[in-house]
Amino acid sequence: MKTIRVLTQEDARRMASAAEAEARGSGWNVSIAICDVGGHALWLQRMDGAPLMSAQVAPEKARACVLSGKPSKVYEDMVNQGRVAALSMPVVPLEGGEPIYFDGNVIGAVGVSGVQAGQDAQVARAGVAALDGADHLYTGAQA
């Protein structure tokens, strides 16, 4: 049997705080979502001034990462490169979601929406990086 770590509410708070600080430091208003390994919401916040739709998109970006073990940008790139069949996958093909790895296992994800795609991803990565002991970012070797 394998032991897998799980995210706690304190983990989610720490990651959300780091993501919010990254967004505020750049003057961006975003929604930040954090989900567990099952794709279920642990945290959702929409900063003042963030687009209304971002509160729906951010959790879906996080969920896409948990389902696949890859950043949501992978799916955006597929679509942009002409693989439109990716649009029928049960994931949101928009950059801004980053999986969280611990000991090589996906344990959750951070999804961000509200600004440009690369900026969303930057904020999400700041959230992931705040989790002590996480392998942090997808390297292509995982999943």
Side-chain angles (χ1 to χ4, degrees), residues 58-105:
E60 290 303 313
K61 289 180 179 183
R63 188 175 160 277
C65 296
V66 167
L67 289 175
S68 67
K70 300 174 182 165
S72 58
K73 182 181 185 336
V74 168
Y75 300 100
E76 181 173 345
D77 290 347
M78 279 184 192
V79 172
N80 289 340
Q81 293 167 7
R83 189 169 176 203
V84 294
L87 292 171
S88 66
M89 294 175 154
V91 297
V92 172
L94 299 170
E95 183 177 6
E98 296 289 335
I100 304 164
Y101 279 88
F102 195 97
D103 292 335
N105 298 300

